[in-house]
Amino acid sequence: MLKIWGRTNSVNVKKALWCVEELSLPYERIDAGMQHGVVNTPEYRKMNPNGLVPTLEEDGFVLWESHSIVRYLAARYGKGVLWPMEERTRAIANQWMDWAFSFQGSVRDAFWNLIRTPADKRDAKAIEASRLKSGEMARILDAALADRLYVAGPFSMGDIPIGTEVQRWIRLPMERPRLPNLEAWFERLHARPAFKKNVDIPLS
Ligand SMILES: N[C@@H](CCC(=O)N[C@@H](CS)C(=O)NCC(=O)O)C(=O)O
C-alpha cells in the first residue's frame, strides 16, 4: 500500500495526493509538517533527510521531491494516461513540471504574506513584487495554452504541479491579469474530482 506523509494544506503534498487519486490508487496519508511535527523525528529524517513533505513509501521504496513522486506514479501506474508515451509530448510535460517550481518562487512572497502572516506584519513591498512577477509568469502559461487544452496537449502529469501552483495563485486575495486561456484550463482542471477534492481547498 502506498503511504504519503504530509499535511493537506501543503502545495507540494497536494500534487502527490491529486496524482494518486487521479490514478485511483489506494493509499494511506499520514499528517506531517508544520503543526503536525513528525518531520524532525529520526525515523522521518531517515526517510527524508530534508525534513520536508511530501514523502512517499511503497513496499520499502522511499521517494521525496513532489514532482519526482508524480513522475514515478505516472510512469508506474499511468502509462499513456498521466505518463505520455510519445517522447516529445512527455518532454513538454516535464518542461511544465520543472517550470512549476519557477512559478512557485514567484508566488511565494504573496502567499506567505497574505495567508500565513498576521495583517500587521505583512511586507507590502514583497507582496507587490510577487504579485507583479507571478502575473508576468502566468502570461507565459496563458500564451502556451492558446492552442491546446492542457499543457502538453492531452491531460498528463505535466498539468499536476503547475495546476496546483496556479490554484494557489488564483485563490490569493490580490489583483491578477485576466488570462482567458489559463482560466479556461483551470476550469477544465476543476472538473476533475481529484483536483477539486485535494487541490482546490481554501488556502491556509
Ligand atoms: N521541492 C520539495 C519542497 C518540499 C517543501 O518545501 N515542502 C514544504 C511544504 S510545501 C515543507 O515541508 N515545509 C515544512 C513543513 O511543512 O513542516 C518538493 O517539492 O517536495
Side-chain angles (χ1 to χ4, degrees), residues 27-93:
Y27 72 100
E28 179 191 352
R29 188 186 63 78
I30 300 117
D31 265 329
M34 283 176 86
Q35 72 273 25
H36 305 286
V38 179
V39 294
N40 290 319
T41 60
E43 298 77 37
Y44 190 84
R45 287 285 174 139
K46 222 169 135 186
M47 289 194 301
N48 186 338
N50 305 289
L52 297 173
V53 289
T55 300
L56 174 96
E57 191 261 335
E58 183 183 41
D59 306 326
F61 171 71
V62 174
L63 190 64
W64 37 264
E65 280 297 334
S66 57
H67 300 183
S68 298
I69 290 171
V70 171
R71 286 188 179 98
Y72 168 72
L73 294 171
R76 187 164 165 86
Y77 298 106
K79 284 205 175 70
V81 182
L82 288 184
W83 180 264
M85 298 307 288
E86 199 278 313
E87 285 84 359
R88 290 185 176 175
T89 307
R90 191 162 68 243
I92 296 294

Side-chain angles (χ1 to χ4, degrees), residues 116-185:
R116 295 202 177 145
T117 306
D120 60 331
K121 300 226 160 46
R122 288 179 190 156
D123 180 342
K125 255 182 146 172
I127 295 173
E128 184 58 5
S130 171
R131 188 184 76 78
L132 291 174
K133 180 66 185 168
S134 57
E136 263 173 43
M137 291 197 74
R139 284 186 198 282
I140 296 172
L141 178 58
D142 182 68
L145 286 165
D147 66 351
R148 64 194 80 167
L149 291 178
Y150 297 98
V151 296
F155 179 74
S156 74
M157 63 180 182
D159 294 285
I160 291 182
I162 191 56
T164 308
E165 299 293 345
V166 165
Q167 184 272 344
R168 187 154 86 149
W169 177 73
I170 240 169
R171 299 302 185 212
L172 279 176
M174 65 180 191
E175 257 182 59
R176 275 170 299 275
R178 293 307 309 270
L179 301 172
N181 304 320
L182 182 149
E183 286 164 24
W185 164 78

